[in-house]
Amino acid sequence: MKITIKPEVFQKIDPQFRVGFVLASGIDNKKNTKKANHLLADMQKVILLTFNKDTFKTHHLISPWNSAKEEFGLKAKHYHTSVELLLQKALRKEKLQSKDTVTALLQYLALKHIVPFGAD
C-alpha cells in the first residue's frame, strides 16, 4: 500500500503538522468492545472534570484547528473536527459508545490527546 501527501499540504497548514498511518490486519474488531467502551466512558468523566462548553474552544490543541477552518471562509462554519464533536457530546453528557473496538479506542485517544483521529 502506498499513501502520499503533497508537501504543499504541510506548508499550507503548518510545517510542524504530522500525520501517522497504521495498517492493522487480521484483527477482531468486535472483541473487547465492552472494555474499549469502558475506557471511553472513563475518559468522558475526565473531560467533564476538565472542560466546560466555553473552555474547550480555546484549548491550545483546538484553537489551531479553528484558525485552519477560518482559512476556508464561510463554509468552515459547517465543519468541526471529530474531536470537537466528541468533546461537545461528552460535555452534553451524551453516552459515548461504539459498536466496535477500533472506533471506541480511537475516540478514547482523540479525547485523551485532543487530536482528531479517523479510521477506514
Side-chain angles (χ1 to χ4, degrees):
M1 172 186 290
K2 181 178 179 181
I3 299 171
T4 58
I5 300 174
K6 293 183 178 183
E8 299 87 49
V9 171
F10 295 92
Q11 293 168 355
K12 187 170 184 170
I13 296 174
D14 183 342
Q16 299 300 314
F17 178 69
R18 299 291 181 257
V19 176
F21 295 94
V22 176
L23 174 63
S25 59
I27 63 170
D28 181 351
N29 200 21
K30 297 296 180 188
K31 188 176 182 180
N32 295 320
T33 302
K34 188 175 179 179
K35 290 178 182 178
N37 277 317
H38 182 73
L39 282 173
L40 184 55
D42 283 349
M43 186 50 58
Q44 183 173 13
K45 292 174 187 171
V46 171
I47 293 298
L48 287 168
L49 293 170
T50 309
F51 293 95
N52 65 45
K53 65 181 181 176
D54 295 321
T55 58
F56 89 87
K57 294 176 186 177
T58 58
H59 188 275
H60 71 282
L61 294 174
I62 294 286
S63 56
W65 290 101
N66 290 329
S67 298
K69 286 189 303 184
E70 286 176 11
E71 188 173 320
F72 293 103
L74 295 175
K75 293 180 184 178
K77 69 180 179 181
H78 297 291
Y79 302 102
H80 297 283
T81 64
S82 57
V83 72
E84 285 177 282
L85 294 174
L86 277 172
L87 282 167
Q88 289 172 355
K89 285 182 178 183
L91 292 171
R92 287 191 304 261
K93 298 182 181 177
E94 292 180 24
K95 188 172 184 178
L96 301 181
Q97 189 170 336
S98 178
K99 294 179 181 177
D100 64 82
T101 307
V102 171
T103 303
L105 290 174
L106 286 175
Q107 290 177 346
Y108 164 79
L109 290 169
L111 289 174
K112 181 174 180 166
H113 299 289
I114 315 298
V115 175
F117 279 92
D120 288 320

